[in-house]
């Protein structure tokens, strides 16, 4: 694994993300006949670029900041976190298999991306801590992923 990538993946806040990248890279390496560096490097670069482009760091921090008052809320939050990681891994894989820039990959979802940007900005600016808002956001993220492939 290239040193730059190893350093990026070694960040503790991204430990959960690494598992998805490793699983997806292993599948990609076998399915696409890629070298180890091509599979891991390509997926990781796509993953983190998508995460940045979709402002998911702020979204994830806001989701993690919701006060939990019962076991069900904890399960919902954990499931949302897992869904975010799986969605990112899937879109990173699609980008790798189609060998196209992320902007082009996201073109079919441009209308949804505008709404996503507005929604995530609202969540951050207003400090929203309501699971209903995140349910709407997660549905929107799922629609974006469907359009991407």
């Amino acid at each position: 694994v290239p040193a730059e990538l190893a350093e990026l993946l070694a960040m503790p806040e991204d430990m959960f993300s690494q598992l998805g990248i490793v699983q997806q890279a292993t599948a990609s390496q076998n399915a696409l006949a890629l070298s180890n560096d091509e599979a891991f490097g390509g997926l990781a670069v796509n993953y983190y670029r998508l995460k940045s482009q979709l402002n998911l760091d702020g979204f994830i921090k806001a989701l993690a900041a919701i006060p939990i008052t019962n076991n069900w809320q904890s399960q919902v939050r954990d499931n949302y976190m897992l869904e975010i990681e799986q969605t990112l891994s899937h879109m990173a894989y699609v980008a790798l298999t189609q060998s196209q820039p992320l902007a082009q990959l996201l073109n079919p979802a441009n209308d949804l991306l505008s709404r996503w940007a507005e929604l995530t900005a609202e969540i951050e600016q207003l400090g929203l801590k309501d699971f209903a808002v995140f349910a709407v956001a997660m549905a929107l993220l799922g629609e974006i992923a469907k359009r991407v492939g």
Side-chain angles (χ1 to χ4, degrees), residues 1-2 15 18 24 45 52 66 74 85 98 108 112 127 129 132:
V1 176
M15 291 296 232
Q18 294 173 20
Q24 199 67 270
V45 166
S52 174
I66 296 176
S74 177
E85 298 303 329
Q98 295 182 5
L112 299 178
K129 297 183 188 303

Side-chain angles (χ1 to χ4, degrees), residues 56-103:
L56 283 169
D57 280 329
F59 182 76
I60 290 168
K61 286 177 185 167
L63 178 59
I66 296 176
I68 300 296
T69 60
N70 61 54
N71 183 48
W72 292 110
Q73 290 176 340
S74 177
Q75 287 185 43
V76 167
R77 184 173 61 193
D78 290 348
N79 283 323
Y80 283 166
M81 294 292 197
L82 178 61
E83 189 174 336
I84 291 166
E85 298 303 329
Q86 289 173 338
T87 300
L88 274 172
S89 293
H90 170 73
M91 289 193 296
Y93 177 77
V94 170
L96 185 66
T97 61
Q98 295 182 5
S99 299
Q100 60 182 338
L102 293 181

